[in-house]
Amino acid sequence: MIRLENLKKSFRGTEVLKGLDLEIIQGDRIALVGSNGAGKTTMIRCLLGEYTYEGTILVNGLIPRQNRREVLKRIGFVPQLPPPLKMTVSQLLDFSSQICDSDPRRMTDLIDQLGLSMDDMKNRPFNKLSGGEKQKILISIALGRDTDLLVLDEPAANLDPAARQVFFAMLAERLEKTSMIISSHRLDEVSALVNRVVEMDRGRIVLNDHVADRTEMASVLDCEIELHEADAAFAKTVQTWDFQAAEDGVTWRGKVAGPDRLRFLGMLSRYTGLLKGIEMKEKN
């Protein structure tokens, strides 16, 4: 489906990609990980046909740089940094749906599912939205059409916990027919979403391996936390996950998306001395 051979890219004489070889087939869900400057975003931009490069990139037999319209029709892309577009949300959806020959109503439905009201959003300039609102709009555009490949660059970084659960469920619906590249600085952020890990370092692929494939994208965990004593700092943090306190002030209950379990436990690790007990159970 997608093939990269000896892919190289330089900026002002500095080689950023140093001969990448990679093949992606249908059903691959790849965690593209690496630190800042590893070359992840540059590789993605080459794949989308935005940069010139040396080497070969083929997407379903087409060269993205020469066949951008045909290639981008079949790729859903969510960038890490939203573009500074001045058009309204309604104009952006109409433009995007025309480019990919899709129905804008599918995108509107996803916007509503992610917790926004299209009636309230449609006349607002995209560049005036909050970071979370922009992310939800871009996710809805990428997933609101038929695609062979989803390219997601830190896709859930600005989403609230409820929207993250909806987003992961949306991805779960596409497992059978869509390949995915999910770029992140940290593997634990995306480990439950993927069946393959590609790690980059200084413009090279240093790891390319398959991982255990037990897909839990749509799972939700009921969680109860018991503290030794009430704590204002803990309360402020856990409330960002939509957790609610019991009357005693030391018991907190809420729900965590399955793919977020490691991220959630990482947050709790900051309060190890305060924790008396944790129970996490996957809902049926």
Side-chain angles (χ1 to χ4, degrees), residues 193-205:
L193 303 176
V194 302
N195 57 14
R196 187 175 166 193
V197 176
V198 173
E199 182 177 358
M200 294 185 64
D201 183 46
R202 299 182 182 182
R204 301 185 188 276
I205 293 175

Side-chain angles (χ1 to χ4, degrees), residues 197-238:
V197 176
V198 173
E199 182 177 358
M200 294 185 64
D201 183 46
R202 299 182 182 182
R204 301 185 188 276
I205 293 175
V206 296
L207 175 69
N208 183 0
D209 202 3
H210 287 81
V211 295
D213 185 12
R214 185 173 181 269
T215 303
E216 300 175 344
M217 287 191 195
S219 66
V220 177
L221 305 171
D222 283 323
C223 182
E224 180 174 299
I225 303 167
E226 186 178 0
L227 308 179
H228 287 289
E229 59 185 27
D231 182 86
F234 178 85
K236 183 177 181 180
T237 299
V238 80

Side-chain angles (χ1 to χ4, degrees), residues 26-157:
Q26 185 175 2
D28 276 346
R29 302 188 308 279
I30 293 176
L32 182 64
V33 298
S35 60
N36 282 330
K40 305 186 303 299
T41 300
T42 300
M43 189 196 86
I44 288 173
R45 298 290 182 179
C46 290
L47 177 62
L48 296 174
E50 296 183 14
Y51 291 158
T52 59
Y53 52 82
E54 297 179 47
T56 299
I57 300 178
L58 293 175
V59 177
N60 291 336
L62 299 176
I63 300 173
R65 186 70 179 174
Q66 298 177 7
N67 305 273
R68 289 201 69 198
R69 186 177 180 88
E70 292 83 357
V71 168
L72 292 181
K73 278 184 180 181
R74 306 303 303 175
I75 296 179
F77 176 50
V78 180
Q80 180 182 7
L81 298 177
L85 302 174
K86 295 182 180 180
M87 64 178 69
T88 65
V89 171
S90 180
Q91 290 171 334
L92 177 57
L93 262 61
D94 288 341
F95 172 77
S96 301
S97 60
Q98 289 172 14
I99 290 295
C100 59
D101 297 330
S102 183
D103 185 347
R105 290 176 295 184
R106 293 176 59 184
M107 301 174 186
T108 299
D109 289 343
L110 297 187
I111 289 173
D112 292 334
Q113 290 179 42
L114 286 167
L116 299 178
S117 169
M118 187 57 188
D119 288 337
D120 295 336
M121 303 290 297
K122 61 183 180 181
N123 294 321
R124 294 176 60 188
F126 181 79
N127 65 339
K128 300 296 184 182
L129 304 180
S130 70
E133 289 170 337
K134 291 176 182 176
Q135 197 79 345
K136 291 175 182 179
I137 298 297
L138 293 175
I139 287 172
S140 299
I141 290 172
L143 273 64
R145 57 194 182 89
D146 296 325
T147 56
D148 299 318
L149 174 69
L150 287 173
V151 180
L152 312 171
D153 197 348
E154 302 283 359

